[in-house]
Amino acid sequence: MATEIPAEKSGKCPCETHDAKSILYQVLDKEHGSEHQRQQHHHSPHHSTGNKVCSCVDRRRVVLKTPEATCRRASEVLLKTLTFIRNLPSFYHVPWEDQLVLLQKNWAPLFVLGMAQQGVDFDLKEISAPSLLKKILLNQSLTDSNELGSSSLGASLAEVQKMKNLLWKFWDLDISAKEYAYLKGIILFDSGCHVLKCLPYVQTLQQEAQQALMEFISTVFHRNLGRFTWIIQLIPSLQDIDADAVEELFFRPVLGKATLNALLLETLSIKSDWL
């Protein structure tokens, strides 16, 4: 039996999902140029308490309360994130090995930035009988679902709470579209990836994105560089996002046994010899 974790949205359960790639792959595969407008955000008084979380929260697992609706929106966010990367010529100027490293290390924080920009909130429910829930969500027999191992047992509640709190911090700052774009550049061109072959070039790109963000804030917000500091201070929290938790929560219900990495590399036409 599952325990609901209250939030603000609702939708249908996708028990009828049969194809492992039925939602995500179709959304990524099709070409559509229409962009959703930024949605209005309703600030909640409950979003970041700052209280110490009980250690038992690390053992608690959650899934989406309305997976069909939320997974579809998450797939659209991922598509927009990949479109952003695809439209950056500078990304394709680095060796494909560096593209692979940058994508695998940074797709999750970029995705969370996209969730924040599109105003995607989500409801959760805690799972107390993961094997049964797994069977329902994946429309598989218990024997088949057991073969998937622990990866289908829901996401860590602690990790998901960190993600939701981070989303609310971005919404509180009311980040503009240009600020999100510069932030994505700062995150994608991660100078902390010391294994990169073109590290100096990537460092330069990251510095240019940071400078552009600072200049934009200085111009639009009347030299309020405190805002720049507040935004920059959120980057470590973004980089600390657990990619496995993101994949498990938003994409496992539609991916099944498929891996998200393979779809990401295929969509961006990056060689996947290393996988």
Side-chain angles (χ1 to χ4, degrees), residues 70-206:
T70 306
C71 288
R72 187 172 296 279
R73 292 206 66 191
S75 298
E76 292 170 353
V77 169
L78 185 62
L79 174 62
K80 291 180 180 181
T81 300
L82 296 178
T83 300
F84 170 83
I85 297 174
R86 186 188 294 166
N87 290 336
L88 290 176
S90 51
F91 179 75
Y92 290 98
H93 289 165
V94 302
W96 70 265
E97 298 95 334
D98 285 0
Q99 296 175 26
L100 181 65
V101 171
L102 291 172
L103 181 65
Q104 291 183 328
K105 188 174 187 296
N106 300 309
W107 75 263
L110 288 172
F111 170 78
V112 173
L113 269 179
M115 294 277 283
Q117 184 174 9
Q118 299 302 318
V120 181
D121 201 357
F122 48 91
D123 297 345
L124 300 170
K125 59 182 178 182
E126 188 171 350
I127 52 177
S128 55
S131 59
L132 177 60
L133 180 63
K134 181 169 52 178
K135 178 180 177 182
I136 296 173
L137 282 178
L138 300 181
N139 194 31
Q140 294 176 328
S141 68
L142 186 57
T143 302
D144 290 339
S145 60
N146 282 338
E147 293 175 357
L148 295 178
S150 60
S151 65
S152 58
L153 297 179
S156 162
L157 174 58
E159 292 297 330
V160 176
Q161 285 181 333
K162 283 165 51 178
M163 192 189 315
K164 288 179 74 70
N165 287 340
L166 186 56
L167 287 173
W168 280 109
K169 288 179 181 179
F170 278 104
W171 294 336
D172 283 342
L173 286 171
D174 194 21
I175 307 294
S176 68
K178 282 194 175 182
E179 287 171 316
Y180 274 119
Y182 297 139
L183 269 173
K184 290 174 185 177
I186 294 171
I187 291 293
L188 177 61
F189 298 111
D190 183 2
S191 60
C193 298
H194 299 296
V195 299
L196 297 175
K197 292 186 176 181
C198 291
L199 181 58
Y201 176 61
V202 171
Q203 289 174 329
T204 299
L205 293 173
Q206 186 180 58

Side-chain angles (χ1 to χ4, degrees), residues 35-54:
E35 291 290 332
H36 294 296
Q37 296 181 349
R38 294 183 66 214
Q39 299 191 3
Q40 297 295 324
H41 306 301
H42 301 283
H43 292 199
S44 168
H46 307 293
H47 65 270
S48 179
T49 63
N51 295 331
K52 186 175 180 181
V53 178
C54 176

